Amino acid sequence: MTVTAVEAPERPAHRDPNVLRWLGAYTASMIGDSVYFMALAWAAARTGSASGTGLVLAAGSIPRALLMLGGGVLADRLGPRRVVIGSDAARAVLVLVLAAILVLTAPTVGVLLVVALLFGAVDALFLPAVGALPPRISTPGQLARIQGLRALAARGSSIIGAPMGGVAVATGGPSLAFAAAGVLFALSLPLLLSLRIRPLVEPETSGDAAVAAKAPNAWHDLVGGLRYIRRHRLLGPLMLVIALSELGFVGPLNLGLILLSEQRGWGASGMGWIVAGFAAGAAGSALLLAVRGRVPRAGLVMSLMALVGAVGIAALAQVPTVALAAAVAAFVGLTAGLAGALCGALVQTAADPAYLGRVTSVSTFFTYALIPLSYPVTGAAIALWGTGPVYAVSAAVCASGGAMGLALTALRRAELPR
């Protein structure tokens, strides 16, 4: 009698202790980020210099933009877990030292500027590495679910972190808030150290990856990674979709929303309801992916959601009431959140393991480093033409990303692993 071995069913990501350890570490780090920025803002404000405060708050974006792509190279050379552990440890030490300094003396612009620059430099290493970790802790079939869990953690961290930072500042000043952020960064370390890293299966077309792994220096690694993305039939177009979507989305939904609320007389409370609507929609899309896991015809769904979400962005500037604006924002959050999570999962499953850190650094660069430069353009355009035309143009930019996905066969037919 022949006994046929039955393969054990794949464990869902939300029931995998390894994934949950990563999720706990990621959540602690994200809450620490929120508390840190709250503490930095208040400490800078207490220096009494308005120009110095603005300089301190903007300083971290400079090294983040300059070093982000190098962070991806480092993640590929050393491994993403090692880079994430090192950067979280460095952030913990940095903000705890600052907390101790502020106990002994009042904050100065110079000290806070140095900390902001160093923190931004470490962030440039952390962000690509943490984005490259999911394929190393679970199976390819669970990556969409992990993207949903990650988005839920990011939303929850924003909700928890800002009030936590505010309470810490109100109770013990910026020093207590910095100390709380340092403890949160430190809490992620034992969870990261306990992660089991899976060996990644190299694709059949990964011959170039072996050559890339032997590149003589980091510069060759970076150039090789960019060349790999440009030549890849799926990753190159996906990076363009990410760039167009972020470019059309970030300005109107951040700076533009402030100006829209001011022009309509909705005030800060009205804006708060609109932001809450967007957050609820984004959380809904994250929960959908976290529970459902794989979405069939992921490339097609991603492209359609980008197109539909663009319609919502254009409509946001035309609705007459806060309630309708919040409902439209929830719709935008749902569609854009689903498109973004599917795009992230497709990037991670399409990338050769040898290039995963560099690929992640390029996609992260558009979100965290390049796109915030659109804020001055958005503000100047709204001052000249008003919110309606600017939102319409932004929606068209977002829609072009979705249209590209539908027009290109490789994107339209892209699937996530089963």
Side-chain angles (χ1 to χ4, degrees):
M1 180 177 179
T2 303
V3 178
T4 304
V6 179
E7 187 175 346
E10 186 176 78
R11 177 179 290 179
H14 61 280
R15 296 178 181 173
D16 186 339
N18 202 43
V19 173
L20 294 179
R21 285 191 291 270
W22 168 82
L23 187 65
Y26 177 75
T27 304
S29 290
M30 291 298 100
I31 296 175
D33 265 342
S34 295
V35 174
Y36 161 79
F37 284 113
M38 177 68 73
L40 186 68
W42 278 100
R46 290 189 178 184
T47 64
S49 170
S51 60
T53 299
L55 186 61
V56 167
L57 295 181
S61 62
I62 298 172
R64 192 178 296 119
L66 294 176
L67 301 176
M68 183 76 72
L69 299 181
V73 172
L74 198 63
D76 283 338
R77 281 189 164 245
L78 301 181
R81 183 179 71 161
R82 187 178 299 176
V83 175
V84 170
I85 290 172
S87 56
D88 256 354
R91 294 196 296 179
V93 171
L94 180 64
V95 295
L96 287 173
V97 168
L98 179 58
I101 291 173
L102 294 185
V103 170
L104 302 175
T105 183
T108 64
V109 171
V111 169
L112 296 178
L113 193 59
V114 169
V115 170
L117 289 170
L118 291 174
F119 195 94
V122 177
D123 247 7
L125 306 182
F126 172 82
L127 291 169
V130 78
L133 260 180
R136 297 180 180 268
I137 60 173
S138 188
T139 58
Q142 294 299 316
L143 286 178
R145 184 172 273 130
I146 292 176
Q147 289 296 316
L149 292 171
R150 182 182 178 184
L152 278 176
R155 296 294 167 192
S157 299
S158 298
I159 294 171
I160 296 170
M164 180 184 294
V167 170
V169 169
T171 303
S175 61
L176 179 60
F178 281 123
V183 169
L184 285 163
F185 292 138
L187 283 176
S188 72
L189 297 177
L191 294 171
L192 291 169
L193 288 168
S194 65
L195 286 180
R196 298 191 312 275
I197 301 300
R198 298 172 58 91
L200 289 177
V201 178
E202 303 283 348
E204 292 180 1
T205 57
S206 63
D208 291 341
V211 176
K214 300 176 182 178
N217 56 50
W219 174 252
H220 285 83
D221 272 351
L222 177 58
V223 173
L226 295 176
R227 186 180 294 118
Y228 168 74
I229 292 171
R230 180 173 59 84
R231 294 176 176 176
H232 198 284
R233 68 183 188 91
L234 185 59
L235 290 176
L238 273 173
M239 294 302 148
L240 290 177
V241 170
I242 292 171
L244 290 170
S245 299
E246 292 289 343
L247 188 62
F249 181 82
V250 173
L253 268 296
N254 287 283
L255 176 62
L257 190 55
I258 297 172
L259 300 177
L260 178 65
S261 299
E262 184 179 295
Q263 289 180 6
R264 296 292 177 85
W266 293 340
S269 62
M271 179 184 167
W273 283 109
I274 298 171
V275 171
F278 172 78
S285 67
L287 184 62
L288 174 66
L289 274 180
V291 172
R292 181 177 176 84
R294 184 178 182 275
V295 174
R297 308 194 72 179
L300 177 62
V301 173
M302 176 199 73
S303 303
L304 290 174
M305 289 298 100
L307 280 174
V308 174
V311 175
I313 292 174
L316 193 57
Q318 307 300 326
V319 294
T321 66
V322 171
L324 281 175
V328 172
F331 173 77
V332 173
L334 180 66
T335 53
L338 184 57
L342 288 175
C343 188
L346 286 170
V347 167
Q348 290 186 336
T349 54
D352 190 298
Y355 290 96
L356 192 54
R358 282 163 285 177
V359 171
T360 305
S361 73
V362 172
S363 62
T364 308
F365 178 79
F366 291 125
T367 304
Y368 288 94
L370 185 61
I371 299 306
L373 300 178
S374 68
Y375 290 159
V377 177
T378 302
I382 289 177
L384 287 173
W385 300 299
T387 52
V390 172
Y391 268 69
V393 171
S394 296
V397 173
C398 283
S400 66
M404 178 186 295
L406 293 177
L408 297 176
T409 304
L411 277 181
R412 188 176 65 251
R413 295 182 178 176
E415 292 278 8
L416 293 171
R418 294 183 179 276

